Amino acid sequence: DTGVSQDPRHKITKRGQNVTFRCDPISEHNRLYWYRQTLGQGPEFLTYFQNEAQLEKSRLLSDRFSAERPKGSFSTLEIQRTEQGDSAMYLCASSTDRGYTRDTQYFGPGTRLTVL
Amino acid sequence: GQNIDQPTEMTATEGAIVQINCTYQTSGFNGLFWYQQHAGEAPTFLSYNVLDGLEEKGRFSSFLSRSKGYSYLLLKELQMKDSASYLCAPRASKIIFGSGTRLSIRP
């Protein structure tokens, strides 16, 4: 399977704990996106990487959230001091800026976070 | 500002045709995507329109009118597996997702 993968698929944590999620994009894709989705809503943009550079970060993203893509391949999203309001599905997507499918984002299965 | 408007819910009958409308207002425009999302799963790509007109792909077609800020997704020969949410997603500097239309198919 050469699609986008995410790990873990589910995470239950207590309020105040830190959590880290991983995303492995499609191998030839140079762009990587993180989204958050809550029930009944569409995906909400969090941040975007082109290769290893973080080019955009949502103003809605608090300082407790940080993302990295150190080698331009996989990415991690860390949430520090989790709050119950952080409970959501965290989606990763990747795309390429070349070829016929350029700019089409392909999503991973998501990580469902529950903060107790 | 940026705004995407699509119906919250729709119901249709197996074998029939349904049209899901989307109107949008964005700061800049670089095409419009439609995604399908089954409950508890990630969105999957359906179509991308950058020019005005109809793009047909099997049972699914997508239409765009840039001057009207309007798109629709047309689903033909509906099957039970088409029960899902359909997300309209225009792209300005980045893709912006609407809240989606939850489509229920009845036998």
Side-chain angles (χ1 to χ4, degrees), chain B:
Chain B
Q2 308 195 101
N3 186 56
I4 300 164
D5 191 27
Q6 53 181 127
T8 304
E9 293 188 12
M10 297 182 71
T11 303
T13 304
E14 191 176 15
I17 299 172
V18 70
Q19 178 174 311
I20 302 174
N21 295 322
C22 171
T23 57
Y24 61 88
Q25 291 176 311
T26 56
S27 302
F29 181 78
N30 288 298
L32 187 142
F33 293 86
W34 282 94
Y35 281 82
Q36 179 190 61
Q37 187 173 26
H38 286 98
E41 298 182 11
T44 56
F45 169 73
L46 288 178
S47 68
Y48 175 53
N49 293 66
V50 64
L51 299 175
D52 289 353
L54 188 68
E55 294 273 346
E56 296 185 77
K57 191 186 293 185
R59 294 189 299 115
F60 293 4
S61 303
S62 56
F63 172 84
L64 176 67
S65 169
R66 290 172 294 172
S67 62
K68 295 181 180 177
Y70 169 68
S71 175
Y72 68 73
L73 181 69
L74 190 72
L75 293 76
K76 302 176 186 176
E77 300 168 18
L78 286 169
Q79 302 175 11
M80 297 302 293
K81 67 179 181 179
D82 297 330
S83 293
S85 287
Y86 291 86
L87 302 168
C88 172
R91 186 164 67 100
S93 59
K94 60 179 179 287
I95 293 177
I96 305 155
F97 287 89
S99 296
T101 297
R102 188 163 65 240
L103 177 65
S104 299
I105 310 298
R106 56 175 178 244

Side-chain angles (χ1 to χ4, degrees), chain A residues 10 13 15 17 31 33 44 46 50 55 58 60 62-65 67 71 73 81 87 96 98 107 110:
Chain A
H10 303 273
T13 191
R15 190 176 51 190
Q17 298 295 304
R31 293 177 173 174
Y33 309 79
E44 175 190 23
L46 294 179
Q50 172 124 351
L55 297 188
S58 169
L60 301 175
S62 79
D63 291 342
R64 297 184 297 107
F65 287 71
K71 297 181 180 179
S73 57
R81 305 181 302 282
S87 295
T96 176
R98 295 181 289 275
F107 284 83

Side-chain angles (χ1 to χ4, degrees), chain A residues 2 4 9 29 52 60 65 70-71 84 113:
Chain A
T2 57
V4 180
R9 295 290 304 276
H29 284 185
E52 65 276 9
L60 301 175
F65 287 71
K71 297 181 180 179
Q84 288 184 324
L113 173 67

Side-chain angles (χ1 to χ4, degrees), chain A residues 8-76:
Chain A
R9 295 290 304 276
H10 303 273
K11 179 70 177 179
I12 300 173
T13 191
K14 293 182 180 179
R15 190 176 51 190
Q17 298 295 304
N18 299 344
V19 294
T20 300
F21 308 142
R22 176 180 170 124
C23 171
D24 287 87
I26 293 171
S27 58
E28 62 267 27
H29 284 185
N30 57 340
R31 293 177 173 174
L32 187 147
Y33 309 79
W34 284 100
Y35 293 88
R36 176 172 60 192
Q37 186 175 28
T38 53
L39 197 63
Q41 300 298 313
E44 175 190 23
F45 172 79
L46 294 179
T47 190
Y48 151 57
F49 291 85
Q50 172 124 351
N51 300 311
E52 65 276 9
Q54 187 173 19
L55 297 188
E56 191 171 349
K57 189 174 175 181
S58 169
R59 282 172 284 179
L60 301 175
L61 209 61
S62 79
D63 291 342
R64 297 184 297 107
F65 287 71
S66 62
E68 294 183 343
R69 194 183 183 199
K71 297 181 180 179
S73 57
F74 74 91
S75 174
T76 57

